[in-house]
Amino acid sequence: MSYPSTLDAQGLRNWATRAVGELSHRRDEINALNVFPVPDSDTGSNMTHTMEAAVEELNNGGDVADALALGAVRGARGNSGMVLSQVLRGVAESTVDSVIDGGVFARSLQQAVELVDRAITEPVEGTVITVLRAAAEAAENAAARPSATLHGIVSAAITAARTALEHTPSQLPALREAGVVDAGGAGLVILLESLLAEIEGTAGHTGLSEPEAVTELEVIFFFEGDIEALQAFLTPLGDSLVIARATEHSANVHIHSQQAGTVIETAFGAGKVTNLRLEVLPAYADPAAKKPVSRRVFAAAPPGPITNLLESAGVTVVSPDAPITAEEEDIVLATGLSTDTGAGRVVPAQSLAAALAAISVYEPDNSNTGAVVAAMRDAAKSMRVAYPSQETPQSIIATCRDLLAEGGEQVTILSALDLDEEEISQHLHVDVMALEVPDIATEIGVE
């Protein structure tokens, strides 16, 4: 079979978007492997977030390879995310006009190895670094052959990466004792497999390529503009459309669609889009066969904007001491509740900002409640929260800067003060959502 000898800028963009879907789809699987260096079960989440940050940077225009590298480096989380960002940086430094051929790909991996070696002072064998080095060496050897092709070089790199991944338990006692391979290495293999799938033009992830299956993408983004017009545009393009308003002209948007490209183009044409995230949803054979999900989400929140925002996303808001009759499939956002939560699945949220982060990834149409809860818990856990020492705009901005020193791409501020979110955004150079909530001590979340 004949495959393209190069990938152009659009192909590179497609690879990155495909990788987001693959990593997101297998996030829980990668998280479960995470036992080294700390068993904190976040490697899959970190790598997914890093690729999401890379794809979001494409919104700012410019060279595709440079934008992906910049977004990944800025948004990198954890060691695994950092290594992934250096792979994209290697691509950016090896390509011209975002075009990748076999030679460019091989040089990209070699460059990534050099970048990672400089970034990590004490590299440990049996980790993602080992897998990356094996892939780079195999790609270099394959590229040296007279008949080398992009497809052949990428295939050789994947074969070597898979072999290196299988051997990681023999190199790290922590992996051997747990009976798992390295989580970061597994994520890197998925990234490379996504590239091969883009070259071959195959379907998203294993098990979803049956001809009769229908694959949907979950599209989530923050929108600023004419919300009524956007809703009219998006309604015919999918289902599970949720528009959670922050103000009259800004909202968090969630939709499931088989026309994700059209959804994204429509949104960009209608206003400003930020914090874009994509996730491949499980396939189903017949759209008409989908069964409605009978599930409720409960949360405690003060009256006003927070309650309005949660209710617009389908949440049942209760007072902190109100009894909850949650059933097994129901979800309870534990935000200051002082009563029994019943039999519901609890999503710990130590702050209102964390609760908003959790509800932003809620999938009302996903019947797998366990997967939904896992994603919401991950989002709540990822939200870093702080409280300014004084209730003044200056103190709030200073606290935001302290939080952003550890990274972040969006700031949520809940305050009794009437804050100018555009002015704060200009100070911080990130997206800011500020909600005026009466009688509340200012709470700042960064994600």
Side-chain angles (χ1 to χ4, degrees):
M1 183 177 292
S2 176
Y3 298 109
S5 59
T6 64
L7 279 185
D8 59 11
Q10 185 59 50
L12 184 58
R13 181 189 293 265
N14 292 346
W15 169 34
T17 303
R18 185 187 289 262
V20 169
E22 293 294 331
L23 287 168
S24 181
H25 178 71
R26 299 176 65 179
R27 174 170 45 198
D28 291 343
E29 172 190 334
I30 301 172
N31 283 343
L33 300 173
N34 184 197
V35 298
F36 181 88
V38 179
D40 48 8
S41 301
D42 64 355
T43 295
S45 301
N46 288 342
M47 299 187 86
T48 302
H49 181 276
T50 302
M51 278 307 301
E52 288 174 343
V55 170
E56 185 176 351
E57 185 63 30
L58 294 173
N59 300 336
N60 296 324
D63 182 86
V64 171
D66 288 342
L68 289 173
L70 178 62
V73 170
R74 284 180 173 174
R77 284 187 182 175
N79 287 343
S80 56
M82 186 281 296
V83 171
L84 188 154
S85 75
Q86 297 307 290
V87 172
L88 294 182
R89 185 179 164 198
V91 171
E93 294 186 2
S94 303
T95 184
V96 176
D97 295 331
S98 298
V99 175
I100 299 179
D101 60 16
V104 167
F105 173 71
R107 287 195 300 276
S108 298
L109 292 186
Q110 287 294 336
Q111 180 73 357
V113 170
E114 295 173 12
L115 292 169
V116 170
D117 284 343
R118 287 205 300 266
I120 299 180
T121 55
E122 297 181 5
V124 177
E125 293 303 320
T127 64
V128 61
I129 301 169
T130 305
V131 178
L132 173 61
R133 191 176 293 115
E137 183 177 344
E140 184 178 39
N141 291 338
R145 301 188 186 110
S147 59
T149 64
L150 174 61
H151 182 272
I153 294 170
V154 174
S155 297
I158 292 174
T159 298
R162 287 170 175 164
T163 300
L165 181 64
E166 291 173 2
H167 291 163
T168 54
S170 67
Q171 297 169 292
L172 268 181
L175 300 179
R176 185 165 56 251
E177 291 170 10
V180 297
V181 296
D182 179 67
L188 178 62
V189 169
I190 290 171
L191 179 72
L192 297 176
E193 289 174 340
S194 297
L195 175 59
L196 185 64
E198 180 60 31
I199 294 169
E200 294 180 342
T202 54
H205 40 257
T206 304
L208 300 184
S209 58
E210 294 85 352
E212 70 276 10
V214 177
T215 300
E216 285 186 316
L217 281 180
E218 176 187 45
V219 186
I220 303 172
F221 56 89
F222 192 78
F223 177 80
E224 296 173 72
D226 188 335
I227 296 175
E228 298 295 336
L230 179 71
Q231 183 172 355
F233 291 145
L234 295 186
T235 298
L237 297 178
D239 54 23
S240 299
L241 176 61
V242 177
I243 298 179
R245 294 173 184 259
T247 67
E248 285 304 306
H249 302 288
S250 63
N252 202 62
V253 180
H254 167 286
I255 187 173
H256 294 177
S257 177
Q258 299 172 45
Q259 306 173 64
T262 304
V263 168
I264 294 169
E265 290 173 7
T266 300
F268 274 104
K272 181 181 177 182
V273 175
T274 55
N275 206 26
L276 174 67
R277 300 196 299 277
L278 303 174
E279 182 170 349
V280 179
L281 297 172
Y284 53 91
D286 179 7
K290 289 201 299 181
K291 297 180 179 179
V293 177
S294 177
R295 179 176 59 221
R296 296 169 296 172
V297 180
F298 295 93
I306 297 294
T307 290
N308 296 340
L309 190 59
L310 291 171
E311 287 181 340
S312 70
V315 177
T316 300
V317 180
V318 299
S319 61
D321 56 353
I324 294 179
T325 56
E327 299 178 358
E328 188 174 348
E329 287 298 300
D330 293 336
I331 299 172
V332 180
L333 280 168
T335 51
L337 288 170
S338 58
T339 185
D340 183 31
T341 59
R345 315 277 189 98
V346 175
V347 174
Q350 301 305 315
S351 63
L352 289 172
L356 292 178
I359 204 62
S360 72
V361 300
Y362 174 59
E363 301 175 57
D365 206 40
N366 187 343
S367 61
N368 187 341
T369 301
V372 172
V373 169
M376 294 177 70
R377 286 173 178 167
D378 177 62
K381 181 181 177 183
S382 298
M383 177 68 80
R384 289 177 286 114
V385 177
Y387 304 88
S389 57
Q390 299 177 6
E391 294 291 322
T392 65
Q394 295 77 14
S395 182
I396 290 171
I397 291 173
T399 304
C400 290
R401 286 203 175 103
D402 290 341
L403 281 170
L404 289 168
E406 300 178 31
E409 57 186 25
Q410 181 168 333
V411 174
T412 300
I413 304 173
L414 311 178
S415 176
L417 302 179
D418 181 11
L419 299 171
D420 187 331
E421 59 184 28
E422 285 215 9
E423 181 180 345
I424 297 175
S425 180
Q426 290 174 1
H427 279 291
L428 302 176
H429 306 294
V430 296
D431 295 320
V432 174
M433 180 177 75
L435 291 180
E436 185 177 353
V437 184
D439 304 319
I440 187 176
T442 298
E443 181 178 294
I444 301 168
V446 169
E447 55 182 320

